[in-house]
Amino acid sequence: MLTFFLLAAVMVLGALGVITLRQPVHAALALVGTLLTLAVTYVTLQAHFLAAIQVIVYAGAIMVLFLFVIMLLNVEGDEGTVRLAWVRPAAYLTGVVAAAGVALTAFLDARQLPDAQVITAALAGGGAGALGGVLFNQFVLAFQLVGVLLLTGIVGAVSLVERSAREKGDEEVFGEPERELTRV
């Protein structure tokens, strides 16, 4: 139980880093730390396959995609311009109300954990074979739609970069002077 609370504290710190760090690359690295800590938590719960998938898919592939998009968009940190001054206090208030709601619900609904047999039966279906069977039979359409969604995100990021490059000029974005196409 002490390990769980320690890992939970690290995950909360990582999550706070994701939303408070100003540099997008630093926020993405804080998210990587949070995802890796979640994988360690899965290992402590004897869900090794889920931990491996967490590291390979989320901390690996998805975060590499995030970092690639951040680098591709050349996003810099917040320059301190405030367009809507009420958004930040409203966001803080919403976060405090949500945290208070979660804490209040946790303290008022103090149910006991289920029996060990119920937990074991629930975790027995979490193996690679069972997950693969469900994923590629029952949820194959959702699986394919996620792929299309990720592809759409990449195309959108590239189109944003192309628009930005046209607005700034290729010389500022790529560091090379713009060359004209010549006929061969």
Side-chain angles (χ1 to χ4, degrees), residues 14-15 17-18 25-37 59 62-63 66:
V18 170
V25 174
H26 296 164
L29 291 176
L31 183 59
V32 168
T34 303
L35 294 174
L36 290 176
T37 308
I62 300 283
M63 287 311 301
F66 281 3

Side-chain angles (χ1 to χ4, degrees), residues 35-143:
L35 294 174
L36 290 176
T37 308
L38 182 62
V40 172
T41 305
Y42 288 146
V43 169
T44 62
L45 295 173
Q46 302 299 320
H48 300 286
F49 175 71
L50 200 55
I53 293 299
Q54 178 75 24
V55 170
I56 293 168
V57 174
Y58 290 105
I62 300 283
M63 287 311 301
V64 167
L65 180 66
F66 281 3
L67 289 174
F68 178 71
V69 169
I70 288 170
M71 298 293 184
L72 191 66
L73 291 176
N74 198 17
V75 177
E76 307 249 338
D78 188 14
E79 296 174 359
T81 58
V82 178
R83 294 182 191 164
L84 302 172
W86 59 272
V87 171
R88 186 176 297 250
Y92 285 133
L93 180 66
T94 303
V96 168
V97 169
V102 168
L104 187 66
T105 303
F107 287 118
L108 290 180
D109 190 17
R111 284 187 250 169
Q112 296 292 323
L113 290 175
D115 293 334
Q117 296 169 346
V118 174
I119 294 174
T120 303
L123 292 177
L131 284 177
V134 170
L135 186 64
F136 291 112
N137 289 323
Q138 189 176 355
F139 296 107
V140 68
L141 179 63
F143 184 74

